[in-house]
Amino acid sequence: MGVSGAFLTFEGIDGCGKSTQLRLVASELRLGGMEVVATREPGGTALGTRLRAALLDAEESVDPLAELLIFAADRAQHVRTLVRPALESGHIVLSDRYADATVAYQGAGRGFTSELIAQVVALATGGLQPDLTIVFDVPVAECIARTQRRIASDHRGDRLDAEDAAFHTRVRQAYLEMAAREPERIRIIDASGSIEETHARVMDLITPLLKSQLSSHRSQVKS
Ligand code: TYD
């Protein structure tokens, strides 16, 4: 790991419920006395908030290469100014999306080659990998229905929400393939049930990881 905190990322297709789950995990860990930094991509920094607004504006026409590089710029700023310093201070960093989203959306979704995606990701992250990535898996039709309900209630549809079912199917498939390739780091959770059911599954997954992380941190502090 190289740094003393723990880096957990939450992924999945639009409408999978990861943002709600991240909020629940962050408050539960804070109640347990842990120092938690909850953040997101795009938009985890002040610069990132401005990049996010441009990237997700439904009115904006964004060239796919420009899109790839703006997500990368957002990530470089995020890693270098927020994520790494927080990990070095021993905090638990929970990020709503990270580099796997670029593999899924710009790679499988938009069709950039895996070599180009790997280069751009390596440049932006400086090689920083999550300790654990949770993919919240929900069938595409259910995610589209959830997103439509959200748009109907708060009119908040973004440029990527508007992609068709074939796009979201490729993105979902890419997440499942990544999890099969890296089963230690990337874990899939069935997120098609209730918020409470999914939350219980998430806590079952992360509690053992955080216990070992915190006890190794404590032994470092003692010695
Ligand atoms: P997200 O924050 O999950 O959207 P919301 O808060 O509306 O649920 O993600 C914003 C969009 O950005 C989402 O459609 C996925 C996309 N995205 C990429 O295409 N590539 C990336 O590298 C990242 C981080 C996000």
Side-chain angles (χ1 to χ4, degrees):
M1 275 162 212
V3 280
S4 58
F7 184 25
L8 278 57
T9 61
F10 289 44
E11 300 276 0
I13 59 177
D14 296 273
C16 68
K18 65 187 166 37
S19 311
T20 304
Q21 294 298 332
L22 192 147
R23 277 195 295 278
L24 293 174
V25 171
S27 43
E28 187 154 341
L29 297 182
R30 284 182 185 129
L31 279 176
M34 296 181 193
E35 297 265 21
V36 176
V37 174
T39 185
R40 69 171 174 180
E41 288 191 2
T45 61
L47 172 65
T49 304
R50 297 165 72 178
L51 297 175
R52 180 183 174 93
L55 270 169
L56 300 184
D57 185 344
E59 305 296 315
E60 192 76 56
S61 130
V62 183
D63 173 82
L65 179 61
E67 179 185 88
L68 170 66
L69 296 175
I70 300 169
F71 279 119
D74 169 76
R75 183 162 306 128
Q77 179 81 2
H78 191 215
V79 167
R80 294 158 75 104
T81 68
L82 191 147
V83 179
R84 263 194 189 281
L87 292 172
E88 281 161 7
S89 307
H91 296 168
I92 294 163
V93 178
L94 307 178
S95 186
D96 187 340
R97 299 196 184 280
Y98 185 61
D100 298 309
T102 291
V103 178
Y105 281 81
Q106 280 65 52
R110 299 278 185 239
F112 285 105
T113 65
S114 49
E115 291 76 20
L116 178 66
I117 295 286
Q119 283 173 349
V120 171
V121 163
L123 187 64
T125 61
L128 178 69
Q129 281 223 354
D131 297 299
L132 178 72
T133 296
I134 303 174
V135 172
F136 293 85
D137 190 44
V138 181
V140 171
E142 171 62 19
C143 285
I144 290 177
R146 288 183 188 179
T147 303
Q148 292 305 331
R149 281 198 294 275
R150 188 177 72 182
I151 292 172
S153 69
D154 68 6
H155 305 279
R156 217 168 45 88
D158 69 38
R159 197 172 52 80
L160 282 120
D161 289 336
E163 290 292 338
D164 62 11
F167 179 91
H168 292 292
T169 302
R170 291 199 297 282
V171 171
R172 177 180 183 223
Q173 199 54 39
Y175 277 125
L176 299 180
E177 284 167 17
M178 280 186 265
R181 275 199 306 273
E182 287 186 73
E184 283 291 305
R185 175 176 72 85
I186 308 179
R187 309 296 288 271
I188 297 169
I189 281 189
D190 174 358
S192 57
S194 70
I195 290 175
E196 294 73 22
E197 280 162 358
T198 303
H199 177 61
R201 292 192 179 118
V202 176
M203 293 312 295
D204 284 349
L205 203 61
I206 67 178
T207 305
L209 173 94
L210 293 179
K211 276 209 179 105
S212 65
Q213 189 79 7
L214 292 174
S215 59
S216 74
H217 181 57
R218 270 193 214 106
S219 61
Q220 278 167 21
V221 172
K222 261 191 237 146
S223 60

